[in-house]
Amino acid sequence: MSTSVPAISDTRVGREQRRLAVQYEVAQILAQSQGLRQATQAVFKTICSQEGFVAASLWKVSKDAEFLQYVDFWTEDNSALVNFVAESLTLRIAPNTGLAGRAWATGRPVWIPDIREVPDLPPPAVRAGLRSGMAFPVAVQGEVMAVMVFWSFNPREQARETLEMFHALGNQLGQYLERQIQSAKVSRLTRLHAAVSAANTAIAGATSRQQFFQDICRIAVDDGKFAIAWIGEYDATTLEVKPVAY
């Protein structure tokens, strides 16, 4: 899908070149990706390979906006990270807690040079021997929708150029996510319009009540793309709803 970013020296000029190269590579990934998971995995690999991180994860804000929950993970092929991933999958991260929670609450990239100095980081990271990490928010129209987190086995001091890069990457991903959301809305409206049109045709052509019910269920699945559809009839005697078509 894309070419790898060439290794660049760690001087200040080198970091600036790397920043621009990574942003370009991410832009290419987002332009060519068919979905969020494909894009996320490619972005993880690009950033980790260039910035020396060994693990990355994506967390989304829950519907009630009370916590962050796991979406996707990527790690190097390292046995020390197996339990780290397994233990992280069920975490619920509150605002201002750990790396991800801080990035969510502040709306800015967060870098922790040595995680041993931060008492509220998730225990799996400490047990895995990870030493430093960073996170940046992904916002849509000013609202944080997700957070990306990256980890390293080595303590690492933050660099201004790198933080600026992560801020820019958050903006890129936010724009991509906004396009994905809008595309999903358009697709949903298109399906609903098709279903309504087909339902009107079914009304005009129905020869019996049962046939009409069956057609509506079929249309909901075929045109509306619902996983399942059924129609029930309420029985006032038994106080039950009995399926009459599906």
Side-chain angles (χ1 to χ4, degrees):
M1 180 175 62
S2 58
T3 57
S4 60
V5 179
I8 299 173
S9 66
D10 201 33
T11 63
R12 181 169 182 174
V13 172
R15 289 196 298 269
E16 178 65 17
Q17 291 177 327
R18 186 170 64 220
R19 178 178 72 84
L20 295 174
V22 170
Q23 286 181 238
Y24 174 77
E25 175 72 5
V26 169
Q28 293 293 101
I29 289 169
L30 299 181
Q32 299 172 29
S33 294
Q34 300 302 310
L36 181 61
R37 178 171 174 75
Q38 182 187 21
T40 299
Q41 286 291 311
V43 169
F44 283 162
K45 293 175 185 178
T46 294
I47 294 176
C48 287
S49 65
Q50 287 302 306
E51 294 299 321
F53 295 111
V54 297
S57 55
L58 176 67
W59 303 79
K60 69 176 182 180
V61 178
S62 63
K63 291 183 178 180
D64 56 9
E66 291 189 355
F67 57 84
L68 292 171
Q69 59 192 81
Y70 160 82
V71 175
D72 204 1
F73 233 108
W74 179 89
T75 69
E76 285 187 345
D77 186 12
N78 190 315
S79 59
L81 298 172
V82 174
N83 289 337
F84 168 60
V85 174
E87 292 179 39
S88 298
L89 301 186
T90 57
L91 288 177
R92 296 291 183 265
I93 302 175
N96 274 316
T97 301
L99 268 172
R102 285 175 168 81
W104 174 23
T106 63
R108 297 191 301 271
V110 175
W111 189 301
I112 297 181
D114 191 339
I115 67 173
R116 297 177 303 178
E117 300 174 0
V118 182
D120 64 356
L121 284 180
V126 179
R127 285 195 288 268
L130 297 167
R131 290 291 301 278
S132 63
M134 73 80 49
F136 64 82
V138 178
V140 174
Q141 296 183 357
E143 179 182 357
V144 175
M145 305 292 289
V147 175
M148 274 194 170
V149 183
F150 298 85
W151 300 95
S152 171
F153 280 125
N154 303 310
R156 295 181 55 183
E157 293 299 324
Q158 67 181 23
R160 179 182 60 81
E161 297 91 345
T162 307
L163 286 174
E164 289 176 352
M165 179 188 73
F166 285 122
H167 177 74
L169 290 175
N171 289 337
Q172 283 180 274
L173 288 162
Q175 293 168 8
Y176 175 78
L177 186 57
E178 183 173 8
R179 291 195 299 271
Q180 291 282 302
I181 293 171
Q182 292 301 322
S183 177
K185 287 181 179 179
V186 170
S187 179
R188 178 175 177 273
L189 290 173
T190 300
R191 294 196 308 269
L192 290 177
H193 181 267
V196 170
S197 297
N200 288 333
T201 301
I203 291 172
T207 58
S208 69
R209 178 173 178 268
Q210 186 62 32
Q211 180 200 340
F212 174 63
F213 285 168
Q214 296 278 32
D215 286 344
I216 291 299
C217 291
R218 174 184 54 78
I219 289 167
V221 173
D222 293 347
D223 296 297
K225 304 304 180 185
F226 292 96
I228 188 171
W230 63 278
I231 295 174
E233 190 172 67
Y234 177 66
D235 189 325
T237 303
T238 62
L239 303 180
E240 295 178 341
V241 177
K242 298 179 180 179
V244 295
Y246 52 88

